[in-house]
Amino acid sequence: MTSPDQPTPAVCPARTGGNRHLMDAAFPHEAFPTALRDLADTGPVHPVVLPGGLHTWLVTDHHAARALAGDQRLTLDIREIPEPPCGLGRTRYPEDGLAVRGRHLMNIDGADHDRLRRQVSPLLSHAAVQPQRPMIEAAAENALRDLAGQDPADVVAHYARPLASDVMSTLLGVPADLRAPLADVTARLGEPDPPDSEPMHAALLEQFDLVREAMERRRTDPGDDLITVLLKAHGRDRITRMEIQAMISLLTAAGLETTATLIAYGTALLIEHPDIRRTLLTDDDSAQAVVEELLRHHAPLFTAGWRFTTEPVEVGDTTIPAGAFVLLSLAAANKDPGVFPHPDDFRTDRPNAAQLMSFGHGPHYCLGSHLGRLEGRIALRALFRRYPSIALATEPDALTWQGATLNRRLTTLPVTLGTARQRP
């Protein structure tokens, strides 16, 4: 079995010529699906060196990723690793922002993870999210009004991001005057610039200041929202104020970036495929099938959060050593041909659609999955109902993408809206 102490980089040939790192922000999008598949074809797990220099292991096989997502030999808590071999060194790895700052659902395990999850999971369950449909529809209508005055319009900046921000801010209970600055600084924290740089550090502090201000206002003026619920749990000693702050920051980032990515990618694909667009608009069940396949076809998160091995872990013929960093590639797992035949095809009738890995698996399965799915259905149906002749304002190959370790998304999506269909 192989277990190299210093993994070699996973450098994949790009069709633009030369070699570029698959997980580099500049990796050309048109070459990405083929490069990812070529890497996955060589085995279920790969030693890689990330663009920032961190040695890690990338899992690309669906069955391996699903198994490791619930494997207790892997932890999300870096405090369980006494001597990281390189990179983190007990401090936040540049680009991560989630590994060690604050205690929240993406860097904690076991009883503490269960305790924190219990505070918010009832409010994001399927039953709790469904009554939010009118609120999400109102957010979509507000975003459509803002979109209407743009020519050309940018679906990312003028629709997907504002809608996702509005929905999450409402659920959290962020006061109206704090919503725009919180969305702005959260978007800046998702940029591929080194987060240990001074501008990114300043943005992180700004986000925390805004979250603290939102918490203080809800303390003096409670509402029917997540922040109020968490503050009440704090009063019963179920969660600390720092944990609340970290939780709100996490939910803000997750609710904005992943949903905006789903809406933007879905818009781009549906513009180019009228047949799929017709399926989306048929009824809610058909729209659900389209969104499920969108989530599989382009996972809003390229990888799940950081994991660390507490002991050697065998994956196929390879042994990942103890104390190693592990990333589960949700994008590669969703394109595993052994699970999803013809994985690059867009098919809304896959019998095993429930096996997609876009929201992870196991104890850290994404709490926002029900909300994200509902937002995606409502946002896409509202957009294409209002603007049935919407079209790209540039060639598909000219669209720009931004890559990062955890996320790969459209930076802009310029469109011409055409004639608006009046609301019934």
Side-chain angles (χ1 to χ4, degrees):
M1 295 184 181
T2 61
S3 178
D5 294 329
Q6 295 294 323
T8 54
V11 180
C12 303
R15 280 181 270 180
T16 53
N19 286 333
R20 287 185 182 177
H21 198 296
L22 175 65
M23 299 175 76
D24 192 287
F27 195 91
H29 180 72
E30 68 275 9
F32 188 78
T34 299
L36 185 62
R37 184 166 57 251
D38 289 346
L39 180 64
D41 285 346
T42 66
V45 60
H46 315 273
V48 301
V49 180
L50 300 183
L54 180 65
H55 293 247
T56 187
W57 295 81
L58 184 69
V59 179
T60 54
D61 176 81
H62 182 280
H63 297 297
R66 193 175 180 91
L68 292 176
D71 194 320
Q72 295 185 0
R73 295 173 297 173
L74 278 72
T75 177
L76 274 72
D77 192 344
I78 194 174
R79 297 177 303 176
E80 299 294 319
I81 307 300
E83 293 296 335
C86 62
L88 280 154
R90 294 187 180 277
T91 63
R92 171 174 170 243
Y93 172 63
E95 190 183 335
D96 183 20
L98 294 175
V100 295
R101 185 174 290 274
R103 310 302 297 153
H104 53 69
L105 294 174
M106 287 188 69
N107 65 9
I108 201 167
D109 288 298
D112 278 341
H113 172 265
D114 294 343
R115 171 179 57 83
L116 293 182
R117 193 174 177 97
R118 281 196 300 270
Q119 310 313 312
V120 292
S121 58
L123 303 171
L124 293 172
S125 67
H126 182 271
V129 164
Q130 294 308 307
Q132 300 296 335
R133 179 184 288 269
M135 181 271 289
I136 300 171
E137 290 173 342
E141 183 61 31
N142 289 337
L144 285 170
R145 280 198 293 269
D146 293 340
L147 187 69
Q150 312 297 327
D151 185 25
D154 177 4
V155 171
V156 174
H158 302 138
Y159 187 67
R161 282 184 177 276
L163 192 160
S165 173
D166 194 3
V167 170
M168 185 50 64
S169 294
T170 300
L171 288 175
L172 286 170
V174 177
D177 61 311
L178 299 182
R179 293 185 177 189
L182 183 58
D184 176 69
V185 73
T186 300
R188 279 188 277 141
L189 287 169
E191 297 294 317
D193 302 326
D196 56 346
S197 65
E198 183 56 35
M200 294 295 274
H201 181 66
L204 191 63
L205 295 178
E206 182 182 346
Q207 186 199 50
F208 272 32
D209 286 342
L210 289 166
V211 169
R212 279 193 291 264
E213 175 66 18
M215 289 170 58
E216 180 58 23
R217 296 213 206 157
R218 289 285 78 90
R219 185 186 67 80
T220 58
D221 182 21
D224 183 17
D225 52 65
L226 275 164
I227 294 178
T228 298
V229 168
L230 291 173
L231 289 172
K232 288 179 179 179
H234 169 65
R236 297 189 292 271
D237 295 327
R238 295 177 180 174
I239 188 170
T240 69
R241 287 188 65 85
M242 281 301 296
E243 287 171 339
I244 294 175
Q245 186 171 313
M247 181 81 77
I248 296 168
S249 297
L250 172 65
L251 292 173
T252 300
L256 174 61
E257 292 299 333
T258 56
T259 305
T261 297
L262 169 62
I263 295 169
Y265 177 76
T267 300
L269 185 141
L270 291 166
I271 284 175
E272 294 295 292
H273 294 86
D275 55 331
I276 302 172
R277 191 162 70 239
R278 285 192 293 271
T279 301
L280 172 85
L281 298 176
T282 300
D283 53 45
D284 201 52
D285 288 343
S286 299
Q288 181 173 339
V290 169
V291 168
E292 288 299 294
E293 183 66 350
L294 283 172
L295 288 164
R296 186 202 65 82
H297 206 258
H298 183 85
L301 288 178
F302 174 66
T303 66
W306 298 96
R307 283 170 166 80
F308 315 100
T309 52
T310 59
E311 60 183 86
V313 175
E314 294 182 6
V315 180
D317 294 331
T318 299
T319 299
I320 303 175
F325 306 125
V326 178
L327 288 171
L328 309 181
S329 176
L330 307 178
N334 283 344
K335 293 292 187 75
D336 187 334
V339 178
F340 301 105
H342 307 289
D344 291 331
D345 293 349
F346 194 99
R347 292 173 43 190
T348 59
D349 60 348
R350 293 185 183 274
N352 60 344
Q355 294 186 44
L356 66 84
M357 285 285 292
S358 298
F359 296 109
H361 182 67
H364 290 279
Y365 185 81
C366 177
L367 276 174
S369 62
H370 302 297
L371 178 64
R373 286 177 163 111
L374 184 59
E375 280 187 79
R377 296 202 301 274
I378 291 173
L380 291 170
R381 295 190 80 189
L383 178 62
F384 285 101
R385 280 174 170 168
R386 181 66 53 87
Y387 295 107
S389 56
I390 186 173
L392 294 179
T394 186
E395 292 299 318
D397 290 346
L399 295 175
T400 58
W401 294 75
Q402 183 179 89
T405 301
L406 298 181
N407 195 2
R408 188 169 188 87
R409 61 187 183 272
L410 282 162
T411 56
T412 62
L413 182 57
V415 298
T416 56
L417 296 173
T419 303
R421 178 178 293 167
Q422 297 302 312
R423 296 182 66 191

